[in-house]
Amino acid sequence: MRRPVFALTVAAAWLTACSSAPTTRELAQDAAAAMGGLEALQAVETLTMSGGTGTRTRLGQTVHVGDEENTAELTDVVEIVDLAGGRASMHYMIDNAGFMQDRHEILTTRGGSPVGIEIIPPRPTIATSPSGLFSWGTQNHPEFLLRRNVVSIVLETAQSGSEGPAEEREMVGRMYQYGTTQTSWGEEIELYFDPETQLLAAYGALDTESMLGDQEALYMLSDYRAAGDVMLPHAVTITKGGRPYSSVEFASIAVNDPAAQAEFEIPETVSAQADEAIAAGEYSPITLIDVAPGVYFAQAYSHNSLVVEFPTFLAVVEAAYTEAQSTTLGRVLGERFPDKPIRYAAVTHHHYDHSGGVRGMAALGADILVADGHAPEMQMVLDAPHTNPPDSLARARTAGADVGSIETYAGMHVISEGDQRLELHAVSGSPHVDPVVLAYVPGPGVLFQSDLFFPGTGGGGPAAEHLLQSVRDLGLNVRTNVGGHGDVAPFAELEKAAAGD
Ligand SMILES: [Zn+2]
Ligand SMILES: [Zn+2]
């Protein structure tokens, strides 16, 4: 019944443009018509995309810096976008070469303020500031789903897009009608319209990734099918910086499903934490626990750090997970040690979940201590421009603040002042990552490492055996194990685990 009307609308658009090329706005109006019309698109408040399967790469999990990245499998992908409320969530299973995780990252709001909720069993559910969300889904952060969805982009361009003429442009061996537009939220978007279907086939934009920084991103849309009153692409393939990033095909999309609202309710268990996150501005849960005189365990909810106190400064081992975690650790340490700046932040290895706070630490003025085997990756992370939007390091640089820079070392690096001493040992041959840095405080005999052994859990394995052998080879007199994951436990636990007891 409605098809002839669409055809007339399309014809009218071409006629008003006369013999000249259509404008980008007109092409978007045609695309909107092909998707069910402007009114139907304007009525879209929430999208619930379900049953997604596909791939994700660029996770930052290689054994050696420079190794080719594994392509991880995504299954059970559910993405919910609340366009009207500015909320978005991603829930998926990721399998990266046998490492499996059920991840659920939610950007929601309370009283108009954005809040992040992260649910990754068996970790405790947490509330953070939005910058505390970490994602390995189709995107680096659920917020991307709001700015990078076909409904918003087509509507925006159809209503206020560029009046400049479109041109013919080739993409992946096909010709498209191509134009650019400036969105009301201040981004330049490139649009590729399919000349046969009038549908939006692809769009390009500048995405700022937490680790990779500014990336020219291309979103290829296919498998347009009916979802309620509108036609929507059920498959989205994303490249960033010209390299594969993610590709997912959804089984179905529900428009304005009332069940979508429940997704954004803040769980009661983290309600107070959500208030804390909003009040703090930047927040991720951290508790400082005394391990030995001048040695502290910064316990986060999954990726922990070690803090070593020197007479006039502090050193942090592991700038983990996210910018919000670094900012929170900086605030917690500033309250406890008001006269001691964080002079150093040491990296145990280049994996993004264990180095996601490196830029945040540099923004606080800490120099980043990096074993030379990790240096190319960490230098890239620190140097990458972040403009859309700028992160804390980019903002600090613009403000002319005294930010930290990379200091590399080979083999071993020692920080000492007064009676305090922190040794960083880069050891090779670990099956988890090569090299890997072991941090050692000789006085109390405290060892900190990440991903090799989770203190307090008792579990062993090849990485734990290699850790124990490395400690013996280095002649370290370790009494206490502190984990990048896990807890604080006597060293004897590792000896038992490695022996297979
Ligand atoms: Zn790792
Ligand atoms: Zn880890």
mmCIF file of all heavy atoms in Angstrom, residues 16-34:
data_model
loop_
_atom_site.group_PDB
_atom_site.id
_atom_site.type_symbol
_atom_site.label_atom_id
_atom_site.label_comp_id
_atom_site.label_asym_id
_atom_site.label_seq_id
_atom_site.Cartn_x
_atom_site.Cartn_y
_atom_site.Cartn_z
ATOM 1 N N THR A 16 12.768 18.358 -7.988
ATOM 2 C CA THR A 16 13.093 19.680 -7.431
ATOM 3 C C THR A 16 14.571 19.986 -7.648
ATOM 4 O O THR A 16 14.955 21.142 -7.769
ATOM 5 C CB THR A 16 12.777 19.772 -5.932
ATOM 6 O OG1 THR A 16 12.931 18.493 -5.365
ATOM 7 C CG2 THR A 16 11.393 20.287 -5.669
ATOM 8 N N ALA A 17 15.396 18.963 -7.697
ATOM 9 C CA ALA A 17 16.817 19.200 -7.909
ATOM 10 C C ALA A 17 17.117 19.474 -9.385
ATOM 11 O O ALA A 17 18.222 19.783 -9.747
ATOM 12 C CB ALA A 17 17.619 17.989 -7.437
ATOM 13 N N CYS A 18 16.078 19.385 -10.223
ATOM 14 C CA CYS A 18 16.208 19.587 -11.673
ATOM 15 C C CYS A 18 17.307 18.716 -12.241
ATOM 16 O O CYS A 18 17.452 17.569 -11.860
ATOM 17 C CB CYS A 18 16.447 21.071 -12.007
ATOM 18 S SG CYS A 18 14.977 22.058 -11.740
ATOM 19 N N SER A 19 18.104 19.283 -13.093
ATOM 20 C CA SER A 19 19.126 18.466 -13.734
ATOM 21 C C SER A 19 20.376 18.373 -12.868
ATOM 22 O O SER A 19 21.229 17.542 -13.100
ATOM 23 C CB SER A 19 19.488 19.067 -15.091
ATOM 24 O OG SER A 19 19.896 20.400 -14.880
ATOM 25 N N SER A 20 20.448 19.263 -11.848
ATOM 26 C CA SER A 20 21.656 19.241 -11.021
ATOM 27 C C SER A 20 21.602 18.046 -10.069
ATOM 28 O O SER A 20 20.560 17.434 -9.857
ATOM 29 C CB SER A 20 21.770 20.540 -10.221
ATOM 30 O OG SER A 20 20.655 20.658 -9.372
ATOM 31 N N ALA A 21 22.761 17.742 -9.484
ATOM 32 C CA ALA A 21 22.842 16.600 -8.580
ATOM 33 C C ALA A 21 22.005 16.869 -7.339
ATOM 34 O O ALA A 21 21.869 18.023 -6.918
ATOM 35 C CB ALA A 21 24.293 16.369 -8.186
ATOM 36 N N PRO A 22 21.426 15.821 -6.732
ATOM 37 C CA PRO A 22 20.677 16.028 -5.489
ATOM 38 C C PRO A 22 21.623 16.461 -4.367
ATOM 39 O O PRO A 22 22.817 16.183 -4.415
ATOM 40 C CB PRO A 22 20.083 14.645 -5.204
ATOM 41 C CG PRO A 22 20.972 13.682 -5.925
ATOM 42 C CD PRO A 22 21.484 14.415 -7.140
ATOM 43 N N THR A 23 21.057 17.130 -3.391
ATOM 44 C CA THR A 23 21.874 17.518 -2.240
ATOM 45 C C THR A 23 21.937 16.358 -1.251
ATOM 46 O O THR A 23 21.125 15.427 -1.308
ATOM 47 C CB THR A 23 21.277 18.732 -1.510
ATOM 48 O OG1 THR A 23 20.036 18.324 -0.904
ATOM 49 C CG2 THR A 23 21.018 19.886 -2.468
ATOM 50 N N THR A 24 22.879 16.440 -0.326
ATOM 51 C CA THR A 24 23.005 15.402 0.704
ATOM 52 C C THR A 24 21.712 15.323 1.512
ATOM 53 O O THR A 24 21.240 14.247 1.854
ATOM 54 C CB THR A 24 24.195 15.730 1.629
ATOM 55 O OG1 THR A 24 25.358 15.889 0.813
ATOM 56 C CG2 THR A 24 24.434 14.634 2.648
ATOM 57 N N ARG A 25 21.121 16.494 1.782
ATOM 58 C CA ARG A 25 19.877 16.501 2.556
ATOM 59 C C ARG A 25 18.768 15.762 1.809
ATOM 60 O O ARG A 25 18.032 14.967 2.386
ATOM 61 C CB ARG A 25 19.443 17.940 2.854
ATOM 62 C CG ARG A 25 18.219 17.983 3.769
ATOM 63 C CD ARG A 25 17.678 19.377 3.980
ATOM 64 N NE ARG A 25 18.603 20.228 4.729
ATOM 65 C CZ ARG A 25 18.281 21.443 5.182
ATOM 66 N NH1 ARG A 25 17.063 21.930 4.978
ATOM 67 N NH2 ARG A 25 19.162 22.164 5.829
ATOM 68 N N GLU A 26 18.666 16.031 0.489
ATOM 69 C CA GLU A 26 17.632 15.349 -0.302
ATOM 70 C C GLU A 26 17.849 13.843 -0.327
ATOM 71 O O GLU A 26 16.894 13.064 -0.230
ATOM 72 C CB GLU A 26 17.619 15.901 -1.730
ATOM 73 C CG GLU A 26 17.010 17.292 -1.809
ATOM 74 C CD GLU A 26 17.340 18.020 -3.109
ATOM 75 O OE1 GLU A 26 18.227 17.563 -3.864
ATOM 76 O OE2 GLU A 26 16.693 19.056 -3.352
ATOM 77 N N LEU A 27 19.099 13.433 -0.440
ATOM 78 C CA LEU A 27 19.378 11.988 -0.443
ATOM 79 C C LEU A 27 18.981 11.360 0.897
ATOM 80 O O LEU A 27 18.449 10.251 0.943
ATOM 81 C CB LEU A 27 20.859 11.733 -0.732
ATOM 82 C CG LEU A 27 21.290 12.026 -2.173
ATOM 83 C CD1 LEU A 27 22.807 11.976 -2.295
ATOM 84 C CD2 LEU A 27 20.641 11.059 -3.150
ATOM 85 N N ALA A 28 19.211 12.110 1.977
ATOM 86 C CA ALA A 28 18.824 11.588 3.297
ATOM 87 C C ALA A 28 17.304 11.534 3.419
ATOM 88 O O ALA A 28 16.753 10.636 4.062
ATOM 89 C CB ALA A 28 19.433 12.448 4.398
ATOM 90 N N GLN A 29 16.623 12.504 2.797
ATOM 91 C CA GLN A 29 15.151 12.469 2.811
ATOM 92 C C GLN A 29 14.647 11.246 2.038
ATOM 93 O O GLN A 29 13.702 10.577 2.466
ATOM 94 C CB GLN A 29 14.594 13.769 2.215
ATOM 95 C CG GLN A 29 14.776 14.953 3.167
ATOM 96 C CD GLN A 29 14.575 16.308 2.491
ATOM 97 O OE1 GLN A 29 14.431 16.402 1.266
ATOM 98 N NE2 GLN A 29 14.581 17.362 3.303
ATOM 99 N N ASP A 30 15.304 10.939 0.923
ATOM 100 C CA ASP A 30 14.948 9.725 0.172
ATOM 101 C C ASP A 30 15.214 8.475 1.008
ATOM 102 O O ASP A 30 14.415 7.524 1.008
ATOM 103 C CB ASP A 30 15.761 9.640 -1.125
ATOM 104 C CG ASP A 30 15.424 10.768 -2.085
ATOM 105 O OD1 ASP A 30 14.401 11.454 -1.855
ATOM 106 O OD2 ASP A 30 16.187 10.959 -3.049
ATOM 107 N N ALA A 31 16.348 8.494 1.710
ATOM 108 C CA ALA A 31 16.689 7.339 2.550
ATOM 109 C C ALA A 31 15.654 7.171 3.657
ATOM 110 O O ALA A 31 15.216 6.056 3.961
ATOM 111 C CB ALA A 31 18.085 7.514 3.146
ATOM 112 N N ALA A 32 15.244 8.308 4.238
ATOM 113 C CA ALA A 32 14.217 8.252 5.292
ATOM 114 C C ALA A 32 12.923 7.682 4.732
ATOM 115 O O ALA A 32 12.267 6.853 5.370
ATOM 116 C CB ALA A 32 13.997 9.646 5.877
ATOM 117 N N ALA A 33 12.566 8.101 3.514
ATOM 118 C CA ALA A 33 11.345 7.587 2.882
ATOM 119 C C ALA A 33 11.465 6.077 2.665
ATOM 120 O O ALA A 33 10.520 5.322 2.929
ATOM 121 C CB ALA A 33 11.111 8.304 1.557
ATOM 122 N N ALA A 34 12.633 5.649 2.215
ATOM 123 C CA ALA A 34 12.837 4.214 1.967
ATOM 124 C C ALA A 34 12.825 3.406 3.265
ATOM 125 O O ALA A 34 12.575 2.203 3.256
ATOM 126 C CB ALA A 34 14.160 4.005 1.222
#
